[in-house]
Amino acid sequence: VPRAQDRNLKLEDYVLDFMPDCMERVRVDSGEPDITIVAYCMGGMLSVMYAALHPAGPLKNLACFTTPVNFEGMGLHRLWSDRRYFDVDRLVDTLGNVPPEIIMNSFEMLRPVQRIAGQIKLWDNMWNDEFVRGFQAVSQWTRDQIPFPGAAFRPGRTCRAGISRSYTAVGVASSLLSFPWLCANDFKVTGENR
């Protein structure tokens, strides 16, 4: 979990340093030469970047769930994160790490009645113990978010080892990784690890 002193962590710190270290530790601890990652949301984005930079392995399988690799269809979110309306530098300079509530609320604003509809569905099923347990588990999981490191939240400035704006992804079918809060236009990953 990013702490205040982690506010300067960038995406490349995760992709180029932390993930390779974790991969090696898993390989050593498990005794298995190949790794399978099941990734969700931001973890999927980091994993796709890692996969693009390490096409020879040790990652053998990558399954991503609700992993946005192209935000082109998120028009309202892209508009809100446009630099003309959203001063990401002011946010990061003020807070350091971005609190999870800010990120969660931005997604909730895209579907403002979703929470109310969920509460109505819970009310309609409150005598169904199995439904209530499932609803509570998913609700807790959804709310259990962590801060986002400030430097990783900023638009790409100077990146190392090829993770930066305007590079082409290799090994990921040239997937465009577009993060609306990072850059309203594009963010791509290169397959070269220099």
Side-chain angles (χ1 to χ4, degrees):
V1 174
R3 298 170 301 243
Q5 60 266 33
D6 298 323
R7 68 183 171 274
N8 293 318
L9 290 175
K10 298 177 182 159
L11 290 175
E12 59 263 29
D13 293 319
Y14 287 91
V15 176
L16 300 175
D17 297 330
F18 302 154
M19 288 189 71
D21 181 57
C22 289
M23 295 287 196
E24 188 55 30
R25 288 176 189 227
V26 167
R27 289 175 70 194
V28 168
D29 289 350
S30 70
E32 294 294 327
D34 298 322
I35 302 289
T36 294
I37 293 180
V38 177
Y40 178 78
C41 200
M42 185 66 192
M45 288 190 274
L46 295 172
S47 298
V48 167
M49 289 182 228
Y50 175 86
L53 294 169
H54 300 89
L59 183 62
K60 183 175 183 176
N61 303 298
L62 175 59
C64 296
F65 297 93
T66 66
T67 297
V69 292
N70 185 336
F71 284 78
E72 290 297 321
M74 294 181 68
L76 191 53
H77 208 245
R78 290 176 60 82
L79 179 65
W80 290 341
S81 61
D82 188 302
R83 291 178 191 212
R84 294 175 293 176
Y85 314 113
F86 178 61
D87 188 349
V88 67
D89 290 321
R90 182 176 179 197
L91 175 73
V92 171
D93 291 342
T94 302
L95 300 176
N97 291 326
V98 179
E101 297 82 14
I102 289 178
I103 297 168
M104 291 304 298
N105 288 339
S106 73
F107 285 109
E108 286 183 2
M109 286 190 300
L110 295 172
R111 296 186 202 139
V113 297
Q114 184 175 1
R115 189 185 318 189
I116 295 167
Q119 294 297 317
I120 291 170
K121 192 169 186 178
L122 175 62
W123 181 264
D124 288 343
N125 290 281
M126 66 185 205
W127 287 276
N128 179 338
D129 292 340
E130 184 178 346
F131 179 88
V132 171
R133 275 193 303 278
F135 183 90
Q136 289 174 328
V138 170
S139 293
Q140 177 61 38
W141 174 74
T142 301
R143 290 188 311 269
D144 191 19
Q145 302 296 317
I146 62 173
F148 202 97
F153 200 79
R154 287 184 198 270
R157 299 272 196 289
T158 304
C159 298
R160 60 187 172 91
I163 298 181
S164 66
R165 296 177 60 223
S166 302
Y167 283 83
T168 304
V170 174
V172 209
S174 298
S175 297
L176 173 66
L177 296 173
S178 171
F179 304 90
W181 62 87
L182 291 171
C183 180
N185 297 322
D186 64 46
F187 183 88
K188 299 177 186 177
V189 180
T190 181
E192 298 173 19
N193 191 348
R194 299 180 193 124

